[in-house]
Short mmCIF file of all heavy atoms in Angstrom, two decimals:
data_model
loop_
_atom_site.label_atom_id
_atom_site.label_comp_id
_atom_site.label_asym_id
_atom_site.label_seq_id
_atom_site.Cartn_x
_atom_site.Cartn_y
_atom_site.Cartn_z
N GLY A 170 211.10 56.57 106.63
CA GLY A 170 210.03 57.23 105.89
C GLY A 170 208.76 57.38 106.69
O GLY A 170 208.57 56.78 107.74
N SER A 171 207.87 58.21 106.14
CA SER A 171 206.60 58.49 106.78
C SER A 171 205.63 59.00 105.73
O SER A 171 206.03 59.45 104.66
CB SER A 171 206.79 59.54 107.88
OG SER A 171 205.55 59.91 108.45
N TYR A 172 204.36 58.95 106.08
CA TYR A 172 203.34 59.39 105.13
C TYR A 172 203.27 60.91 104.98
O TYR A 172 202.55 61.42 104.12
CB TYR A 172 201.98 58.84 105.51
CG TYR A 172 201.36 59.35 106.80
CD1 TYR A 172 200.00 59.15 107.07
CD2 TYR A 172 202.11 60.04 107.77
CE1 TYR A 172 199.42 59.60 108.24
CE2 TYR A 172 201.53 60.49 108.94
CZ TYR A 172 200.19 60.27 109.17
OH TYR A 172 199.62 60.72 110.34
N ASP A 173 204.01 61.65 105.79
CA ASP A 173 203.91 63.11 105.76
C ASP A 173 205.21 63.80 105.38
O ASP A 173 205.41 64.97 105.70
CB ASP A 173 203.42 63.63 107.12
CG ASP A 173 204.35 63.26 108.27
OD1 ASP A 173 205.34 62.53 108.03
OD2 ASP A 173 204.08 63.69 109.40
N LEU A 174 206.11 63.10 104.70
CA LEU A 174 207.39 63.69 104.33
C LEU A 174 207.50 64.00 102.84
O LEU A 174 208.57 64.41 102.38
CB LEU A 174 208.54 62.76 104.75
CG LEU A 174 208.73 62.57 106.26
CD1 LEU A 174 209.89 61.63 106.54
CD2 LEU A 174 208.94 63.91 106.96
N GLN A 175 206.42 63.81 102.08
CA GLN A 175 206.44 64.10 100.64
C GLN A 175 205.25 64.96 100.24
O GLN A 175 204.71 64.83 99.15
CB GLN A 175 206.45 62.80 99.83
CG GLN A 175 207.74 62.02 99.91
CD GLN A 175 207.68 60.73 99.11
OE1 GLN A 175 207.46 59.66 99.65
NE2 GLN A 175 207.87 60.84 97.80
N ASP A 176 204.86 65.86 101.12
CA ASP A 176 203.66 66.65 100.86
C ASP A 176 203.76 67.47 99.56
O ASP A 176 202.75 67.64 98.86
CB ASP A 176 203.39 67.60 102.03
CG ASP A 176 202.59 66.95 103.14
OD1 ASP A 176 202.56 65.70 103.20
OD2 ASP A 176 202.02 67.69 103.96
N ASP A 177 204.94 67.99 99.25
CA ASP A 177 205.06 68.79 98.04
C ASP A 177 204.74 67.98 96.80
O ASP A 177 204.00 68.42 95.91
CB ASP A 177 206.45 69.42 97.94
CG ASP A 177 207.59 68.41 98.05
OD1 ASP A 177 207.35 67.25 98.45
OD2 ASP A 177 208.74 68.79 97.75
N TRP A 178 205.27 66.76 96.73
CA TRP A 178 205.06 65.88 95.58
C TRP A 178 203.61 65.39 95.54
O TRP A 178 202.96 65.40 94.49
CB TRP A 178 206.04 64.72 95.65
CG TRP A 178 205.88 63.61 94.65
CD1 TRP A 178 205.98 62.27 94.91
CD2 TRP A 178 205.66 63.70 93.23
NE1 TRP A 178 205.82 61.53 93.76
CE2 TRP A 178 205.62 62.39 92.71
CE3 TRP A 178 205.49 64.77 92.36
CZ2 TRP A 178 205.41 62.11 91.36
CZ3 TRP A 178 205.27 64.49 91.01
CH2 TRP A 178 205.24 63.18 90.53
N LEU A 179 203.08 64.99 96.68
CA LEU A 179 201.72 64.44 96.70
C LEU A 179 200.68 65.54 96.44
O LEU A 179 199.65 65.28 95.81
CB LEU A 179 201.46 63.72 98.01
CG LEU A 179 202.39 62.53 98.30
CD1 LEU A 179 201.97 61.82 99.58
CD2 LEU A 179 202.45 61.56 97.13
N GLU A 180 200.95 66.74 96.92
CA GLU A 180 200.06 67.86 96.61
C GLU A 180 200.08 68.16 95.11
O GLU A 180 199.04 68.43 94.49
CB GLU A 180 200.47 69.10 97.39
CG GLU A 180 199.57 70.31 97.13
CD GLU A 180 200.11 71.56 97.79
OE1 GLU A 180 199.76 71.78 98.98
OE2 GLU A 180 200.87 72.31 97.14
N ASP A 181 201.26 68.08 94.51
CA ASP A 181 201.40 68.30 93.07
C ASP A 181 200.58 67.27 92.30
O ASP A 181 199.86 67.61 91.35
CB ASP A 181 202.87 68.23 92.68
CG ASP A 181 203.14 68.60 91.23
OD1 ASP A 181 202.23 69.15 90.58
OD2 ASP A 181 204.26 68.34 90.75
N ILE A 182 200.68 66.01 92.70
CA ILE A 182 199.88 64.96 92.06
C ILE A 182 198.40 65.24 92.22
O ILE A 182 197.62 65.17 91.26
CB ILE A 182 200.23 63.58 92.65
CG1 ILE A 182 201.65 63.16 92.24
CG2 ILE A 182 199.22 62.52 92.19
CD1 ILE A 182 202.11 61.86 92.88
N ALA A 183 197.99 65.58 93.44
CA ALA A 183 196.57 65.81 93.71
C ALA A 183 196.00 66.93 92.85
O ALA A 183 194.93 66.78 92.24
CB ALA A 183 196.38 66.13 95.20
N THR A 184 196.70 68.07 92.79
CA THR A 184 196.17 69.22 92.05
C THR A 184 196.33 69.08 90.55
O THR A 184 195.43 69.44 89.78
CB THR A 184 196.85 70.51 92.53
OG1 THR A 184 198.28 70.38 92.40
CG2 THR A 184 196.52 70.79 93.99
N SER A 185 197.47 68.54 90.11
CA SER A 185 197.71 68.40 88.66
C SER A 185 196.85 67.32 88.04
O SER A 185 196.37 67.47 86.91
CB SER A 185 199.18 68.09 88.40
OG SER A 185 200.03 69.11 88.84
N CYS A 186 196.64 66.23 88.77
CA CYS A 186 195.93 65.07 88.22
C CYS A 186 194.47 65.02 88.65
O CYS A 186 193.73 64.13 88.19
CB CYS A 186 196.63 63.77 88.64
SG CYS A 186 198.37 63.69 88.19
N GLN A 187 194.07 65.93 89.52
CA GLN A 187 192.70 65.97 90.05
C GLN A 187 192.31 64.62 90.66
O GLN A 187 191.28 64.03 90.34
CB GLN A 187 191.71 66.39 88.96
CG GLN A 187 191.95 67.81 88.45
CD GLN A 187 190.91 68.25 87.44
OE1 GLN A 187 190.51 67.48 86.56
NE2 GLN A 187 190.48 69.49 87.53
N VAL A 188 193.18 64.16 91.54
CA VAL A 188 192.92 62.93 92.28
C VAL A 188 193.11 63.18 93.77
O VAL A 188 193.95 63.99 94.17
CB VAL A 188 193.87 61.78 91.84
CG1 VAL A 188 193.61 61.39 90.40
CG2 VAL A 188 195.33 62.13 92.07
N ALA A 189 192.30 62.52 94.56
CA ALA A 189 192.56 62.49 96.00
C ALA A 189 193.75 61.56 96.21
O ALA A 189 193.83 60.50 95.59
CB ALA A 189 191.35 61.98 96.75
N VAL A 190 194.68 61.96 97.04
CA VAL A 190 195.84 61.13 97.33
C VAL A 190 195.71 60.61 98.76
O VAL A 190 195.48 61.38 99.69
CB VAL A 190 197.17 61.90 97.17
CG1 VAL A 190 198.36 61.02 97.56
CG2 VAL A 190 197.32 62.40 95.74
N VAL A 191 195.83 59.31 98.90
CA VAL A 191 195.77 58.66 100.21
C VAL A 191 197.12 58.02 100.47
O VAL A 191 197.52 57.09 99.78
CB VAL A 191 194.66 57.59 100.25
CG1 VAL A 191 194.70 56.83 101.58
CG2 VAL A 191 193.29 58.24 100.05
N SER A 192 197.87 58.56 101.45
CA SER A 192 199.20 58.05 101.77
C SER A 192 199.14 57.25 103.07
O SER A 192 198.55 57.69 104.06
CB SER A 192 200.18 59.21 101.92
OG SER A 192 201.51 58.75 102.01
N VAL A 193 199.77 56.09 103.08
CA VAL A 193 199.62 55.12 104.17
C VAL A 193 200.77 55.21 105.17
O VAL A 193 201.95 55.19 104.78
CB VAL A 193 199.57 53.67 103.62
CG1 VAL A 193 199.26 52.68 104.75
CG2 VAL A 193 198.55 53.56 102.50
N GLN A 194 200.44 55.26 106.45
CA GLN A 194 201.44 55.20 107.51
C GLN A 194 201.57 53.74 107.96
O GLN A 194 201.03 53.32 108.97
CB GLN A 194 201.03 56.10 108.69
CG GLN A 194 202.05 56.19 109.81
CD GLN A 194 203.24 57.09 109.47
OE1 GLN A 194 203.67 57.15 108.32
NE2 GLN A 194 203.78 57.76 110.46
N TYR A 195 202.29 52.97 107.17
CA TYR A 195 202.42 51.54 107.48
C TYR A 195 203.53 51.32 108.51
O TYR A 195 204.43 52.14 108.69
CB TYR A 195 202.69 50.73 106.20
CG TYR A 195 203.94 51.11 105.44
CD1 TYR A 195 205.17 50.52 105.72
CD2 TYR A 195 203.90 52.03 104.39
CE1 TYR A 195 206.32 50.84 105.02
CE2 TYR A 195 205.04 52.36 103.67
CZ TYR A 195 206.25 51.77 103.99
OH TYR A 195 207.38 52.09 103.29
N ARG A 196 203.47 50.17 109.18
CA ARG A 196 204.48 49.84 110.20
C ARG A 196 205.82 49.52 109.55
O ARG A 196 205.87 48.95 108.46
CB ARG A 196 204.00 48.65 111.03
CG ARG A 196 202.88 48.98 111.99
CD ARG A 196 202.30 47.73 112.61
NE ARG A 196 201.54 46.95 111.64
CZ ARG A 196 200.98 45.76 111.88
NH1 ARG A 196 201.15 45.19 113.07
NH2 ARG A 196 200.30 45.14 110.94
N LEU A 197 206.88 49.91 110.26
CA LEU A 197 208.24 49.76 109.73
C LEU A 197 209.00 48.65 110.43
O LEU A 197 208.77 48.34 111.60
CB LEU A 197 209.00 51.08 109.91
CG LEU A 197 208.42 52.33 109.22
CD1 LEU A 197 209.24 53.55 109.60
CD2 LEU A 197 208.38 52.15 107.71
N ALA A 198 209.94 48.06 109.68
CA ALA A 198 210.90 47.12 110.25
C ALA A 198 212.03 47.95 110.89
O ALA A 198 212.21 49.12 110.55
CB ALA A 198 211.44 46.21 109.15
N PRO A 199 212.80 47.36 111.79
CA PRO A 199 212.78 45.97 112.26
C PRO A 199 211.79 45.71 113.38
O PRO A 199 211.57 44.56 113.75
CB PRO A 199 214.21 45.77 112.77
CG PRO A 199 214.61 47.12 113.28
CD PRO A 199 213.96 48.10 112.35
N GLU A 200 211.18 46.80 113.92
CA GLU A 200 210.20 46.58 114.99
C GLU A 200 209.04 45.73 114.48
O GLU A 200 208.48 44.92 115.24
CB GLU A 200 209.68 47.93 115.50
CG GLU A 200 210.72 48.82 116.14
CD GLU A 200 211.43 49.72 115.14
OE1 GLU A 200 211.34 49.46 113.91
OE2 GLU A 200 212.07 50.68 115.58
N HIS A 201 208.70 45.94 113.22
CA HIS A 201 207.58 45.22 112.61
C HIS A 201 208.04 44.67 111.26
O HIS A 201 207.79 45.29 110.22
CB HIS A 201 206.38 46.15 112.44
CG HIS A 201 205.94 46.81 113.69
ND1 HIS A 201 205.22 46.16 114.67
CD2 HIS A 201 206.13 48.08 114.15
CE1 HIS A 201 204.97 46.98 115.66
NE2 HIS A 201 205.51 48.15 115.38
N PRO A 202 208.72 43.53 111.25
CA PRO A 202 209.19 42.96 109.97
C PRO A 202 208.03 42.45 109.13
O PRO A 202 206.87 42.45 109.57
CB PRO A 202 210.10 41.82 110.42
CG PRO A 202 209.58 41.42 111.77
CD PRO A 202 209.07 42.68 112.40
N PHE A 203 208.37 42.05 107.90
CA PHE A 203 207.35 41.47 107.01
C PHE A 203 206.62 40.35 107.76
O PHE A 203 207.25 39.55 108.44
CB PHE A 203 208.02 40.91 105.76
CG PHE A 203 207.05 40.39 104.73
CD1 PHE A 203 206.51 41.24 103.78
CD2 PHE A 203 206.66 39.06 104.72
CE1 PHE A 203 205.60 40.77 102.84
CE2 PHE A 203 205.76 38.58 103.79
CZ PHE A 203 205.22 39.44 102.84
N PRO A 204 205.27 40.30 107.67
CA PRO A 204 204.41 40.99 106.71
C PRO A 204 203.68 42.23 107.25
O PRO A 204 202.70 42.66 106.63
CB PRO A 204 203.40 39.90 106.37
CG PRO A 204 203.19 39.19 107.68
CD PRO A 204 204.56 39.18 108.34
N ALA A 205 204.12 42.79 108.37
CA ALA A 205 203.35 43.87 108.99
C ALA A 205 203.06 45.03 108.04
O ALA A 205 201.91 45.46 107.89
CB ALA A 205 204.08 44.37 110.23
N GLY A 206 204.11 45.58 107.41
CA GLY A 206 203.90 46.72 106.51
C GLY A 206 203.00 46.37 105.34
O GLY A 206 202.13 47.16 104.95
N ALA A 207 203.20 45.19 104.77
CA ALA A 207 202.36 44.75 103.66
C ALA A 207 200.92 44.55 104.11
O ALA A 207 199.98 44.86 103.37
CB ALA A 207 202.92 43.45 103.07
#
Side-chain angles (χ1 to χ4, degrees):
S171 175
Y172 67 165
D173 60 356
L174 294 180
Q175 290 179 261
D176 274 20
D177 54 347
W178 173 223
L179 299 185
E180 180 187 272
D181 187 13
I182 291 175
T184 56
S185 298
C186 304
Q187 296 184 319
V188 295
V190 177
V191 175
S192 190
V193 186
Q194 184 75 327
Y195 60 88
R196 287 171 289 176
L197 300 175
E200 297 88 344
H201 305 284
F203 185 87

